Amino acid sequence: MTVRCDFAPLDGITKVVFRRVWHAFFGGVDRYFIPFFSPTPQHILTPRDRREIDPANGGDLCQVPQVMTCRAGDLIWAAEVLGDMGYREVNLNLGCPSGTVTAKGKGAGFLARPGELDRFFDEVFSHVKVSVSVKTRLGIQSPEEFGRLLEIYNRYPIACLTIHPRVQKEKYRGEVHRDVFAAALAESRNPVRKFHAA
Ligand SMILES: Cc1cc2nc3c(=O)[nH]c(=O)nc-3n(C[C@H](O)[C@H](O)[C@H](O)COP(=O)(O)O)c2cc1C
């Protein structure tokens, strides 16, 4: 069995300089996930976003950019821009538990609206040309919410599902729900990736 090591994104910490220094001094990582950027309503990349995702700044690192949005048009736009830069996979952030993010219905906040999430994926997967992977929580309040979410994920060709087996309200505290993670491993039609931080 081949074990692949992915570098988890930490917003504000694992920026491009951090990733390059890690790679030069420690290595041991196959793919670096870039912390999320949120597309602007005007669909313009800010200088900060561009600095993080420009492949020229990443040197020889194998990287996967991450996008945070609850609008299909934003992800379709971002996937096209990132595809033009040479990326073959885009990761959608459905895991961020921060109140400022979830109040806008983004990150883990999107998990509160499964019907809308289903329509979002329907539109996204009928347009995008690059692979789309997803980072998800188990739900908002209770891990039991994950059954409905997994049913939705299973309907789409998600390149890989990274599961952080906590719900949004648990933020980063407490034991993870290993039982739900094990069930998801067995029931996911898409490949599942483990969640550990670097
Ligand atoms: C400060 C901080 C920033 C994070 N930023 C992101 C991010 O941009 N995208 C993302 O998918 N996950 C992000 N995460 C989640 C981590 O990638 C990882 O999934 C999580 O920390 C795993 O839980 P653990 O810290 O309990 O092991 C962040 C976590 C922390 C603590």
mmCIF file of all heavy atoms in Angstrom, residues 45-65:
data_model
loop_
_atom_site.group_PDB
_atom_site.id
_atom_site.type_symbol
_atom_site.label_atom_id
_atom_site.label_comp_id
_atom_site.label_asym_id
_atom_site.label_seq_id
_atom_site.Cartn_x
_atom_site.Cartn_y
_atom_site.Cartn_z
ATOM 1 N N LEU A 45 -8.774 38.304 -8.433
ATOM 2 C CA LEU A 45 -7.838 37.767 -7.430
ATOM 3 C C LEU A 45 -7.142 38.931 -6.749
ATOM 4 O O LEU A 45 -6.573 39.796 -7.423
ATOM 5 C CB LEU A 45 -6.781 36.893 -8.108
ATOM 6 C CG LEU A 45 -7.179 35.488 -8.523
ATOM 7 C CD1 LEU A 45 -6.022 34.825 -9.260
ATOM 8 C CD2 LEU A 45 -7.608 34.643 -7.332
ATOM 9 N N THR A 46 -7.176 38.980 -5.436
ATOM 10 C CA THR A 46 -6.469 40.050 -4.723
ATOM 11 C C THR A 46 -4.963 39.754 -4.819
ATOM 12 O O THR A 46 -4.559 38.594 -5.024
ATOM 13 C CB THR A 46 -6.878 40.095 -3.237
ATOM 14 O OG1 THR A 46 -6.418 38.880 -2.621
ATOM 15 C CG2 THR A 46 -8.392 40.217 -3.072
ATOM 16 N N PRO A 47 -4.118 40.779 -4.628
ATOM 17 C CA PRO A 47 -2.663 40.534 -4.676
ATOM 18 C C PRO A 47 -2.249 39.451 -3.672
ATOM 19 O O PRO A 47 -1.386 38.620 -3.949
ATOM 20 C CB PRO A 47 -2.063 41.890 -4.311
ATOM 21 C CG PRO A 47 -3.120 42.884 -4.695
ATOM 22 C CD PRO A 47 -4.452 42.205 -4.465
ATOM 23 N N ARG A 48 -2.894 39.430 -2.491
ATOM 24 C CA ARG A 48 -2.554 38.435 -1.466
ATOM 25 C C ARG A 48 -2.913 37.024 -1.952
ATOM 26 O O ARG A 48 -2.119 36.087 -1.816
ATOM 27 C CB ARG A 48 -3.328 38.774 -0.189
ATOM 28 C CG ARG A 48 -3.143 37.809 0.941
ATOM 29 C CD ARG A 48 -3.925 38.309 2.170
ATOM 30 N NE ARG A 48 -3.944 37.309 3.225
ATOM 31 C CZ ARG A 48 -4.866 36.369 3.327
ATOM 32 N NH1 ARG A 48 -5.834 36.284 2.444
ATOM 33 N NH2 ARG A 48 -4.817 35.494 4.320
ATOM 34 N N ASP A 49 -4.105 36.883 -2.540
ATOM 35 C CA ASP A 49 -4.508 35.567 -3.059
ATOM 36 C C ASP A 49 -3.544 35.116 -4.149
ATOM 37 O O ASP A 49 -3.105 33.967 -4.193
ATOM 38 C CB ASP A 49 -5.928 35.616 -3.646
ATOM 39 C CG ASP A 49 -6.982 35.953 -2.607
ATOM 40 O OD1 ASP A 49 -6.715 35.761 -1.411
ATOM 41 O OD2 ASP A 49 -8.071 36.424 -2.998
ATOM 42 N N ARG A 50 -3.219 36.070 -5.017
ATOM 43 C CA ARG A 50 -2.340 35.722 -6.148
ATOM 44 C C ARG A 50 -0.964 35.284 -5.652
ATOM 45 O O ARG A 50 -0.395 34.319 -6.151
ATOM 46 C CB ARG A 50 -2.218 36.928 -7.094
ATOM 47 C CG ARG A 50 -1.605 36.599 -8.425
ATOM 48 C CD ARG A 50 -1.656 37.781 -9.365
ATOM 49 N NE ARG A 50 -2.968 37.993 -9.950
ATOM 50 C CZ ARG A 50 -3.470 37.282 -10.954
ATOM 51 N NH1 ARG A 50 -2.773 36.293 -11.475
ATOM 52 N NH2 ARG A 50 -4.665 37.532 -11.433
ATOM 53 N N ARG A 51 -0.459 35.976 -4.632
ATOM 54 C CA ARG A 51 0.860 35.613 -4.091
ATOM 55 C C ARG A 51 0.852 34.171 -3.580
ATOM 56 O O ARG A 51 1.788 33.416 -3.769
ATOM 57 C CB ARG A 51 1.210 36.590 -2.951
ATOM 58 C CG ARG A 51 2.630 36.451 -2.426
ATOM 59 C CD ARG A 51 2.988 37.555 -1.449
ATOM 60 N NE ARG A 51 2.096 37.608 -0.302
ATOM 61 C CZ ARG A 51 1.335 38.650 0.018
ATOM 62 N NH1 ARG A 51 1.357 39.731 -0.719
ATOM 63 N NH2 ARG A 51 0.548 38.620 1.081
ATOM 64 N N GLU A 52 -0.245 33.805 -2.925
ATOM 65 C CA GLU A 52 -0.323 32.456 -2.346
ATOM 66 C C GLU A 52 -0.463 31.364 -3.399
ATOM 67 O O GLU A 52 0.070 30.270 -3.247
ATOM 68 C CB GLU A 52 -1.512 32.371 -1.377
ATOM 69 C CG GLU A 52 -1.243 32.990 -0.035
ATOM 70 C CD GLU A 52 -0.047 32.349 0.677
ATOM 71 O OE1 GLU A 52 -0.015 31.120 0.811
ATOM 72 O OE2 GLU A 52 0.864 33.097 1.064
ATOM 73 N N ILE A 53 -1.234 31.657 -4.453
ATOM 74 C CA ILE A 53 -1.544 30.563 -5.385
ATOM 75 C C ILE A 53 -0.691 30.563 -6.652
ATOM 76 O O ILE A 53 -0.687 29.554 -7.359
ATOM 77 C CB ILE A 53 -3.043 30.551 -5.778
ATOM 78 C CG1 ILE A 53 -3.429 31.834 -6.493
ATOM 79 C CG2 ILE A 53 -3.916 30.280 -4.588
ATOM 80 C CD1 ILE A 53 -4.895 31.862 -6.899
ATOM 81 N N ASP A 54 0.013 31.652 -6.912
ATOM 82 C CA ASP A 54 0.829 31.697 -8.137
ATOM 83 C C ASP A 54 1.834 30.537 -8.127
ATOM 84 O O ASP A 54 2.708 30.477 -7.249
ATOM 85 C CB ASP A 54 1.565 33.040 -8.193
ATOM 86 C CG ASP A 54 2.275 33.249 -9.526
ATOM 87 O OD1 ASP A 54 2.495 32.244 -10.238
ATOM 88 O OD2 ASP A 54 2.604 34.404 -9.835
ATOM 89 N N PRO A 55 1.733 29.624 -9.095
ATOM 90 C CA PRO A 55 2.637 28.471 -9.090
ATOM 91 C C PRO A 55 4.110 28.887 -9.144
ATOM 92 O O PRO A 55 4.969 28.176 -8.619
ATOM 93 C CB PRO A 55 2.257 27.686 -10.346
ATOM 94 C CG PRO A 55 0.902 28.159 -10.706
ATOM 95 C CD PRO A 55 0.790 29.578 -10.223
ATOM 96 N N ALA A 56 4.378 30.057 -9.713
ATOM 97 C CA ALA A 56 5.772 30.515 -9.793
ATOM 98 C C ALA A 56 6.347 30.708 -8.389
ATOM 99 O O ALA A 56 7.543 30.506 -8.161
ATOM 100 C CB ALA A 56 5.853 31.823 -10.581
ATOM 101 N N ASN A 57 5.506 31.109 -7.436
ATOM 102 C CA ASN A 57 5.993 31.314 -6.063
ATOM 103 C C ASN A 57 6.147 30.000 -5.304
ATOM 104 O O ASN A 57 6.834 29.940 -4.290
ATOM 105 C CB ASN A 57 5.035 32.227 -5.286
ATOM 106 C CG ASN A 57 4.996 33.625 -5.871
ATOM 107 O OD1 ASN A 57 5.920 34.011 -6.576
ATOM 108 N ND2 ASN A 57 3.933 34.357 -5.612
ATOM 109 N N GLY A 58 5.486 28.970 -5.788
ATOM 110 C CA GLY A 58 5.539 27.679 -5.094
ATOM 111 C C GLY A 58 6.759 26.845 -5.471
ATOM 112 O O GLY A 58 6.975 25.769 -4.905
ATOM 113 N N GLY A 59 7.557 27.338 -6.423
ATOM 114 C CA GLY A 59 8.745 26.572 -6.836
ATOM 115 C C GLY A 59 8.337 25.190 -7.320
ATOM 116 O O GLY A 59 7.381 25.053 -8.088
ATOM 117 N N ASP A 60 9.033 24.156 -6.818
ATOM 118 C CA ASP A 60 8.723 22.806 -7.303
ATOM 119 C C ASP A 60 7.742 22.058 -6.397
ATOM 120 O O ASP A 60 7.592 20.846 -6.477
ATOM 121 C CB ASP A 60 10.022 21.996 -7.482
ATOM 122 C CG ASP A 60 10.762 21.832 -6.158
ATOM 123 O OD1 ASP A 60 10.405 22.542 -5.186
ATOM 124 O OD2 ASP A 60 11.690 21.000 -6.093
ATOM 125 N N LEU A 61 7.044 22.794 -5.543
ATOM 126 C CA LEU A 61 6.083 22.126 -4.654
ATOM 127 C C LEU A 61 4.855 21.653 -5.432
ATOM 128 O O LEU A 61 4.384 22.353 -6.326
ATOM 129 C CB LEU A 61 5.589 23.105 -3.575
ATOM 130 C CG LEU A 61 6.353 23.180 -2.272
ATOM 131 C CD1 LEU A 61 7.762 23.663 -2.516
ATOM 132 C CD2 LEU A 61 5.647 24.112 -1.303
ATOM 133 N N CYS A 62 4.355 20.485 -5.057
ATOM 134 C CA CYS A 62 3.082 20.030 -5.605
ATOM 135 C C CYS A 62 2.002 20.582 -4.664
ATOM 136 O O CYS A 62 1.990 20.252 -3.477
ATOM 137 C CB CYS A 62 3.065 18.504 -5.643
ATOM 138 S SG CYS A 62 1.504 17.874 -6.253
ATOM 139 N N GLN A 63 1.142 21.455 -5.183
ATOM 140 C CA GLN A 63 0.202 22.158 -4.306
ATOM 141 C C GLN A 63 -1.239 22.010 -4.793
ATOM 142 O O GLN A 63 -1.494 21.875 -5.988
ATOM 143 C CB GLN A 63 0.535 23.649 -4.280
ATOM 144 C CG GLN A 63 1.966 23.943 -3.855
ATOM 145 C CD GLN A 63 2.162 25.425 -3.614
ATOM 146 O OE1 GLN A 63 2.189 25.881 -2.489
ATOM 147 N NE2 GLN A 63 2.280 26.197 -4.680
ATOM 148 N N VAL A 64 -2.173 22.089 -3.845
ATOM 149 C CA VAL A 64 -3.599 22.089 -4.186
ATOM 150 C C VAL A 64 -4.213 23.357 -3.568
ATOM 151 O O VAL A 64 -4.162 23.529 -2.350
ATOM 152 C CB VAL A 64 -4.329 20.847 -3.616
ATOM 153 C CG1 VAL A 64 -5.816 20.897 -3.969
ATOM 154 C CG2 VAL A 64 -3.703 19.565 -4.123
ATOM 155 N N PRO A 65 -4.772 24.242 -4.393
ATOM 156 C CA PRO A 65 -5.397 25.452 -3.855
ATOM 157 C C PRO A 65 -6.772 25.139 -3.261
ATOM 158 O O PRO A 65 -7.457 24.218 -3.708
ATOM 159 C CB PRO A 65 -5.521 26.363 -5.077
ATOM 160 C CG PRO A 65 -5.511 25.444 -6.253
ATOM 161 C CD PRO A 65 -4.805 24.190 -5.863
#
